[in-house]
Amino acid sequence: MTGTPSTPSESPPIRLLHVINNLHMGGAETVLVRLLSRLDRRRWSPRVISLIGTGPAAQRLQELEIPVTAIGMRRGVPGPRVLARLAVEIRNARPQLVQTWLYHANLLGGLASRLVRPGVPVVWNLRNNGPIRRRDKASTYWTSRACATLSRRVPERILVNSQAGRHRHTELGYDPERMEVIANGFDVERFRPSETARAELRRELGVGHEAQLVGMAARFNPQKDFEVLMAAAAGLMNRHPDLHMLLCGPGIGPENRELADVASAAGCGSRLHLMGLRDDMPRWQAALDVATLASYVEGIPNTIGEAMACGVPCVVTDVGGAGELVGRDGKAGRLVPIRDAVAFETAIDGLLSLPAEARRQIGAEARRRIAERFSIETMVERFEATWTEILSQQHSTQTRQAA
């Protein structure tokens, strides 16, 4: 647990409730854990409610001595029973501020809070560049549209993690006056360049020191566009006989027959490594020569920010806030159009073909960019400042009304 206990002369910490869809270790869950691990616990007393269930993120939170409750909602089915159970948990938690994460939690957490804690401020959190009808799940799309309708009445503030996400959600009807951009933050002490990591992971894979490693860390989801990645990998392996493609994340293990079949059809063969969920991401990221992400839906991609902090050049599709993270001048990485396997392959090939020193320079610029613009300290400070401002405004309003 971070921070120090309060003394009797200090004000008690503010009860802060986070409501999130699930606690598997995806992008939003990673940022939640990252945020709460650095929170000033003298000022804030956090607890977390997961609408669906627990997972690796719940374990991390419990290690931080943060209470976690799971409601047990069926995935994608936010019915009235779930709302009622959530309302009971919120009433029992007696929060002084409610921070919700992702569309379903924004909708249900916002409504339940207004039912049982009507005077408590609610802050929404949007983590991607917006759903698209017929491409995303119908429940996600229509939940996001319901939130757009309620955005002028339920939340005091709507946080987004990129300017692209702010623009897209404004187009979808969200109240732009309530939106605030707080970019994801990254721990540059934990994620850092490491020659030791490069050697260790190559030994784990049973490949030589000269092997080139290209990796993508992502959950198994159609939005990550593994088909484009595999098509690019097949061409790259033909030109680079010492290239190995590494994939890791939830659902990305040898048992994933669907992904293995796509890889086989693309001709990737034994040089594709499906490595599953890892608990050593700083080492894994630092071992790569190039990090990639082929997504057609993103907010601010955590895995790319982590790789950049490790000094690894990146190739990422130009979606959501990826351009804000990597930059558009090519100095810290490469942006390519979505669903364009040829452009994806060409960009990776260009980085692999550079002299090692030139790649190191790109990686160094990437790390500098993360340290200067996307530090975890800045992210935590922005969240705390926003909550403090909202609570201060609420107190001022209540004081005027009581006068």
Side-chain angles (χ1 to χ4, degrees), residues 164-185:
R166 185 184 195 280
H167 176 72
R168 173 62 181 151
H169 283 93
T170 299
E171 291 181 334
L172 290 171
Y174 284 74
D175 184 359
E177 298 302 317
R178 299 181 189 229
M179 286 196 199
E180 178 182 350
V181 176
I182 301 180
N184 292 2

Side-chain angles (χ1 to χ4, degrees), residues 262-275:
V262 172
S264 177
C268 292
S270 62
R271 285 191 282 153
L272 175 78
H273 305 266
L274 304 180
M275 305 182 73

Side-chain angles (χ1 to χ4, degrees), residues 350-373:
L351 289 176
L352 291 175
S353 300
L354 289 172
E357 180 57 32
R359 275 205 310 274
R360 278 194 290 270
Q361 290 176 0
I362 294 172
E365 176 62 22
R367 179 170 168 80
R368 183 197 65 76
R369 185 177 178 88
I370 293 297
E372 291 184 358
R373 305 189 186 195

Side-chain angles (χ1 to χ4, degrees), residues 193-206:
S194 171
E195 288 298 323
T196 301
R198 291 177 61 83
E200 288 178 349
L201 194 59
R202 282 162 175 77
R203 282 198 298 270
E204 177 185 332
L205 295 170

